[in-house]
PDB file of all heavy atoms in Angstrom:
ATOM      1  N   ARG A 648       7.081   9.331  -5.180  1.00 90.00           N
ATOM      2  CA  ARG A 648       5.805   9.683  -5.713  1.00 90.00           C
ATOM      3  C   ARG A 648       4.974  10.457  -4.771  1.00 90.00           C
ATOM      4  O   ARG A 648       3.786  10.618  -4.882  1.00 90.00           O
ATOM      5  CB  ARG A 648       5.116   8.218  -5.998  1.00 90.00           C
ATOM      6  CG  ARG A 648       5.770   7.390  -7.000  1.00 90.00           C
ATOM      7  CD  ARG A 648       4.975   6.036  -7.030  1.00 90.00           C
ATOM      8  NE  ARG A 648       5.842   5.194  -7.850  1.00 90.00           N
ATOM      9  CZ  ARG A 648       5.570   3.934  -8.038  1.00 90.00           C
ATOM     10  NH1 ARG A 648       4.510   3.446  -7.502  1.00 90.00           N
ATOM     11  NH2 ARG A 648       6.442   3.180  -8.827  1.00 90.00           N
ATOM     12  N   GLN A 654       3.804  18.265  -5.446  1.00 95.00           N
ATOM     13  CA  GLN A 654       3.221  19.630  -5.695  1.00 95.00           C
ATOM     14  C   GLN A 654       4.124  20.851  -5.424  1.00 95.00           C
ATOM     15  O   GLN A 654       4.055  21.863  -6.100  1.00 95.00           O
ATOM     16  CB  GLN A 654       1.876  19.652  -4.949  1.00 95.00           C
ATOM     17  CG  GLN A 654       0.771  18.807  -5.559  1.00 95.00           C
ATOM     18  CD  GLN A 654      -0.448  18.552  -4.641  1.00 95.00           C
ATOM     19  OE1 GLN A 654      -0.493  19.086  -3.424  1.00 95.00           O
ATOM     20  NE2 GLN A 654      -1.374  17.918  -5.160  1.00 95.00           N
ATOM     21  N   GLN A 657       6.217  21.016  -8.495  1.00 97.00           N
ATOM     22  CA  GLN A 657       5.394  21.545  -9.650  1.00 97.00           C
ATOM     23  C   GLN A 657       5.354  23.150  -9.549  1.00 97.00           C
ATOM     24  O   GLN A 657       5.448  23.816 -10.563  1.00 97.00           O
ATOM     25  CB  GLN A 657       3.859  21.007  -9.664  1.00 97.00           C
ATOM     26  CG  GLN A 657       3.840  19.592 -10.148  1.00 97.00           C
ATOM     27  CD  GLN A 657       2.405  18.963 -10.027  1.00 97.00           C
ATOM     28  OE1 GLN A 657       1.700  19.175  -9.098  1.00 97.00           O
ATOM     29  NE2 GLN A 657       2.039  18.121 -11.050  1.00 97.00           N
ATOM     30  N   GLN A 682       5.716   7.792 -20.111  1.00 87.00           N
ATOM     31  CA  GLN A 682       4.841   7.015 -19.501  1.00 87.00           C
ATOM     32  C   GLN A 682       4.525   7.458 -18.132  1.00 87.00           C
ATOM     33  O   GLN A 682       3.380   7.498 -17.700  1.00 87.00           O
ATOM     34  CB  GLN A 682       5.400   5.592 -19.386  1.00 87.00           C
ATOM     35  CG  GLN A 682       4.603   4.548 -19.942  1.00 87.00           C
ATOM     36  CD  GLN A 682       5.248   3.167 -19.881  1.00 87.00           C
ATOM     37  OE1 GLN A 682       6.216   2.985 -19.288  1.00 87.00           O
ATOM     38  NE2 GLN A 682       4.660   2.275 -20.507  1.00 87.00           N
ATOM     39  N   ARG A 686       1.061   8.626 -16.950  1.00 89.00           N
ATOM     40  CA  ARG A 686       0.380   7.680 -15.809  1.00 89.00           C
ATOM     41  C   ARG A 686      -0.133   8.606 -14.567  1.00 89.00           C
ATOM     42  O   ARG A 686      -1.004   8.271 -14.032  1.00 89.00           O
ATOM     43  CB  ARG A 686       1.548   6.765 -15.368  1.00 89.00           C
ATOM     44  CG  ARG A 686       1.096   5.681 -14.398  1.00 89.00           C
ATOM     45  CD  ARG A 686       2.107   4.696 -14.290  1.00 89.00           C
ATOM     46  NE  ARG A 686       2.035   3.997 -13.010  1.00 89.00           N
ATOM     47  CZ  ARG A 686       3.013   3.320 -12.387  1.00 89.00           C
ATOM     48  NH1 ARG A 686       4.115   3.162 -13.078  1.00 89.00           N
ATOM     49  NH2 ARG A 686       2.797   2.804 -11.291  1.00 89.00           N
ATOM     50  N   TYR A 687       0.709   9.702 -14.449  1.00 92.00           N
ATOM     51  CA  TYR A 687       0.312  10.610 -13.313  1.00 92.00           C
ATOM     52  C   TYR A 687      -0.415  11.837 -13.722  1.00 92.00           C
ATOM     53  O   TYR A 687      -0.685  12.717 -12.934  1.00 92.00           O
ATOM     54  CB  TYR A 687       1.581  10.914 -12.434  1.00 92.00           C
ATOM     55  CG  TYR A 687       2.111   9.799 -11.684  1.00 92.00           C
ATOM     56  CD1 TYR A 687       3.092   8.766 -12.208  1.00 92.00           C
ATOM     57  CD2 TYR A 687       1.628   9.447 -10.318  1.00 92.00           C
ATOM     58  CE1 TYR A 687       3.491   7.738 -11.572  1.00 92.00           C
ATOM     59  CE2 TYR A 687       2.049   8.404  -9.736  1.00 92.00           C
ATOM     60  CZ  TYR A 687       2.970   7.568 -10.239  1.00 92.00           C
ATOM     61  OH  TYR A 687       3.422   6.480  -9.498  1.00 92.00           O
ATOM     62  N   ASP A 733       6.533  -6.667 -26.211  1.00 82.00           N
ATOM     63  CA  ASP A 733       5.920  -5.398 -26.874  1.00 82.00           C
ATOM     64  C   ASP A 733       6.240  -5.339 -28.288  1.00 82.00           C
ATOM     65  O   ASP A 733       5.924  -4.460 -29.021  1.00 82.00           O
ATOM     66  CB  ASP A 733       6.229  -4.100 -26.073  1.00 82.00           C
ATOM     67  CG  ASP A 733       7.672  -4.052 -25.560  1.00 82.00           C
ATOM     68  OD1 ASP A 733       8.439  -5.125 -25.845  1.00 82.00           O
ATOM     69  OD2 ASP A 733       8.045  -3.176 -24.818  1.00 82.00           O
ATOM     70  N   TYR A 758      10.830 -12.789 -21.481  1.00 87.00           N
ATOM     71  CA  TYR A 758      10.991 -11.626 -20.542  1.00 87.00           C
ATOM     72  C   TYR A 758      12.418 -11.227 -20.204  1.00 87.00           C
ATOM     73  O   TYR A 758      12.657 -10.144 -19.830  1.00 87.00           O
ATOM     74  CB  TYR A 758      10.227 -11.756 -19.233  1.00 87.00           C
ATOM     75  CG  TYR A 758       8.751 -11.951 -19.477  1.00 87.00           C
ATOM     76  CD1 TYR A 758       8.251 -13.178 -19.867  1.00 87.00           C
ATOM     77  CD2 TYR A 758       7.929 -10.868 -19.390  1.00 87.00           C
ATOM     78  CE1 TYR A 758       6.943 -13.416 -20.127  1.00 87.00           C
ATOM     79  CE2 TYR A 758       6.605 -11.110 -19.626  1.00 87.00           C
ATOM     80  CZ  TYR A 758       6.068 -12.326 -19.948  1.00 87.00           C
ATOM     81  OH  TYR A 758       4.781 -12.537 -20.238  1.00 87.00           O
ATOM     82  N   PHE A1000      -2.729   8.199 -26.369  1.00 87.00           N
ATOM     83  CA  PHE A1000      -4.127   7.772 -26.515  1.00 87.00           C
ATOM     84  C   PHE A1000      -4.616   7.156 -25.215  1.00 87.00           C
ATOM     85  O   PHE A1000      -5.823   7.431 -24.821  1.00 87.00           O
ATOM     86  CB  PHE A1000      -4.098   6.600 -27.580  1.00 87.00           C
ATOM     87  CG  PHE A1000      -5.387   5.990 -27.911  1.00 87.00           C
ATOM     88  CD1 PHE A1000      -6.112   6.629 -28.919  1.00 87.00           C
ATOM     89  CD2 PHE A1000      -5.913   4.972 -27.252  1.00 87.00           C
ATOM     90  CE1 PHE A1000      -7.461   6.216 -29.225  1.00 87.00           C
ATOM     91  CE2 PHE A1000      -7.207   4.421 -27.542  1.00 87.00           C
ATOM     92  CZ  PHE A1000      -7.980   5.096 -28.589  1.00 87.00           C
TER      93      PHE A1000
ATOM     94  N   HIS B 296       5.092 -17.299 -17.357  1.00 72.00           N
ATOM     95  CA  HIS B 296       6.356 -17.090 -17.813  1.00 72.00           C
ATOM     96  C   HIS B 296       7.529 -17.447 -16.937  1.00 72.00           C
ATOM     97  O   HIS B 296       8.589 -17.036 -17.203  1.00 72.00           O
ATOM     98  CB  HIS B 296       6.461 -15.735 -18.388  1.00 72.00           C
ATOM     99  CG  HIS B 296       5.297 -15.440 -19.414  1.00 72.00           C
ATOM    100  ND1 HIS B 296       5.450 -15.958 -20.723  1.00 72.00           N
ATOM    101  CD2 HIS B 296       4.145 -14.812 -19.325  1.00 72.00           C
ATOM    102  CE1 HIS B 296       4.331 -15.627 -21.407  1.00 72.00           C
ATOM    103  NE2 HIS B 296       3.509 -14.880 -20.469  1.00 72.00           N
ATOM    104  N   GLU B 370       5.409  -3.301 -11.646  1.00 84.00           N
ATOM    105  CA  GLU B 370       6.472  -2.222 -11.987  1.00 84.00           C
ATOM    106  C   GLU B 370       7.398  -2.972 -12.945  1.00 84.00           C
ATOM    107  O   GLU B 370       7.941  -2.446 -13.946  1.00 84.00           O
ATOM    108  CB  GLU B 370       7.164  -1.699 -10.816  1.00 84.00           C
ATOM    109  CG  GLU B 370       6.331  -1.013  -9.806  1.00 84.00           C
ATOM    110  CD  GLU B 370       6.199   0.353 -10.189  1.00 84.00           C
ATOM    111  OE1 GLU B 370       7.079   1.006 -10.846  1.00 84.00           O
ATOM    112  OE2 GLU B 370       5.189   0.970  -9.802  1.00 84.00           O
ATOM    113  N   THR B 428      -4.326  11.639  -9.617  1.00 94.00           N
ATOM    114  CA  THR B 428      -3.172  10.928  -9.013  1.00 94.00           C
ATOM    115  C   THR B 428      -2.459  11.905  -7.957  1.00 94.00           C
ATOM    116  O   THR B 428      -1.528  11.609  -7.426  1.00 94.00           O
ATOM    117  CB  THR B 428      -2.012  10.852 -10.122  1.00 94.00           C
ATOM    118  OG1 THR B 428      -1.628  12.107 -10.590  1.00 94.00           O
ATOM    119  CG2 THR B 428      -2.562  10.041 -11.371  1.00 94.00           C
ATOM    120  N   GLY B 429      -2.907  13.056  -7.833  1.00 93.00           N
ATOM    121  CA  GLY B 429      -2.323  14.151  -6.963  1.00 93.00           C
ATOM    122  C   GLY B 429      -1.329  14.903  -7.745  1.00 93.00           C
ATOM    123  O   GLY B 429      -1.109  16.104  -7.304  1.00 93.00           O
ATOM    124  N   PHE B 430      -0.860  14.482  -8.858  1.00 94.00           N
ATOM    125  CA  PHE B 430       0.037  15.180  -9.768  1.00 94.00           C
ATOM    126  C   PHE B 430      -0.842  15.791 -10.908  1.00 94.00           C
ATOM    127  O   PHE B 430      -0.416  16.664 -11.635  1.00 94.00           O
ATOM    128  CB  PHE B 430       1.092  14.343 -10.287  1.00 94.00           C
ATOM    129  CG  PHE B 430       2.121  13.890  -9.307  1.00 94.00           C
ATOM    130  CD1 PHE B 430       1.771  12.627  -8.566  1.00 94.00           C
ATOM    131  CD2 PHE B 430       3.252  14.599  -9.054  1.00 94.00           C
ATOM    132  CE1 PHE B 430       2.782  12.333  -7.575  1.00 94.00           C
ATOM    133  CE2 PHE B 430       4.158  14.162  -8.016  1.00 94.00           C
ATOM    134  CZ  PHE B 430       3.955  13.140  -7.368  1.00 94.00           C
ATOM    135  N   ARG B 433      -5.628  11.693 -15.123  1.00 90.00           N
ATOM    136  CA  ARG B 433      -5.550  11.060 -16.372  1.00 90.00           C
ATOM    137  C   ARG B 433      -6.859  10.242 -16.560  1.00 90.00           C
ATOM    138  O   ARG B 433      -7.519   9.874 -15.668  1.00 90.00           O
ATOM    139  CB  ARG B 433      -4.442  10.094 -16.471  1.00 90.00           C
ATOM    140  CG  ARG B 433      -4.442   8.991 -15.559  1.00 90.00           C
ATOM    141  CD  ARG B 433      -3.299   8.075 -15.657  1.00 90.00           C
ATOM    142  NE  ARG B 433      -3.412   7.133 -16.592  1.00 90.00           N
ATOM    143  CZ  ARG B 433      -3.111   5.774 -16.500  1.00 90.00           C
ATOM    144  NH1 ARG B 433      -2.449   5.488 -15.370  1.00 90.00           N
ATOM    145  NH2 ARG B 433      -3.352   4.903 -17.424  1.00 90.00           N
ATOM    146  N   LEU B 436      -8.655   4.235 -19.954  1.00 82.00           N
ATOM    147  CA  LEU B 436      -9.272   3.648 -21.199  1.00 82.00           C
ATOM    148  C   LEU B 436      -9.218   2.133 -21.141  1.00 82.00           C
ATOM    149  O   LEU B 436      -8.278   1.626 -20.912  1.00 82.00           O
ATOM    150  CB  LEU B 436      -8.656   4.164 -22.446  1.00 82.00           C
ATOM    151  CG  LEU B 436      -8.945   5.587 -22.682  1.00 82.00           C
ATOM    152  CD1 LEU B 436      -8.220   6.022 -24.012  1.00 82.00           C
ATOM    153  CD2 LEU B 436     -10.394   5.872 -22.902  1.00 82.00           C
ATOM    154  N   PRO B 444       3.935  -7.351 -21.551  1.00 59.00           N
ATOM    155  CA  PRO B 444       5.021  -6.699 -20.855  1.00 59.00           C
ATOM    156  C   PRO B 444       5.950  -5.869 -21.703  1.00 59.00           C
ATOM    157  O   PRO B 444       6.061  -6.159 -22.865  1.00 59.00           O
ATOM    158  CB  PRO B 444       5.745  -7.916 -20.206  1.00 59.00           C
ATOM    159  CG  PRO B 444       5.027  -9.099 -20.685  1.00 59.00           C
ATOM    160  CD  PRO B 444       4.103  -8.812 -21.634  1.00 59.00           C
ATOM    161  N   ARG B 445       6.583  -4.887 -21.140  1.00 57.00           N
ATOM    162  CA  ARG B 445       7.351  -3.981 -21.913  1.00 57.00           C
ATOM    163  C   ARG B 445       8.828  -4.461 -21.944  1.00 57.00           C
ATOM    164  O   ARG B 445       9.268  -5.237 -21.181  1.00 57.00           O
ATOM    165  CB  ARG B 445       7.116  -2.514 -21.467  1.00 57.00           C
ATOM    166  CG  ARG B 445       7.781  -2.360 -20.106  1.00 57.00           C
ATOM    167  CD  ARG B 445       7.654  -0.993 -19.710  1.00 57.00           C
ATOM    168  NE  ARG B 445       8.414  -0.689 -18.426  1.00 57.00           N
ATOM    169  CZ  ARG B 445       8.105   0.153 -17.615  1.00 57.00           C
ATOM    170  NH1 ARG B 445       7.200   0.992 -17.729  1.00 57.00           N
ATOM    171  NH2 ARG B 445       8.973   0.367 -16.549  1.00 57.00           N
ATOM    172  N   ILE B 446       9.542  -3.819 -22.685  1.00 52.00           N
ATOM    173  CA  ILE B 446      10.977  -4.062 -22.940  1.00 52.00           C
ATOM    174  C   ILE B 446      11.931  -3.559 -21.854  1.00 52.00           C
ATOM    175  O   ILE B 446      12.913  -4.193 -21.532  1.00 52.00           O
ATOM    176  CB  ILE B 446      11.239  -3.564 -24.362  1.00 52.00           C
ATOM    177  CG1 ILE B 446      12.275  -4.536 -25.182  1.00 52.00           C
ATOM    178  CG2 ILE B 446      11.868  -2.242 -24.414  1.00 52.00           C
ATOM    179  CD1 ILE B 446      12.426  -4.266 -26.469  1.00 52.00           C
TER     180      ILE B 446
END
Side-chain angles (χ1 to χ4, degrees):
Chain A
R648 297 174 189 179
Q654 287 171 349
Q657 284 174 326
Q682 241 177 7
R686 186 170 155 198
Y687 288 88
D733 40 5
Y758 297 82
F1000 184 87
Chain B
H296 299 286
E370 298 276 331
T428 67
F430 293 86
R433 65 180 269 220
L436 286 173
R445 68 180 191 203
I446 215 171

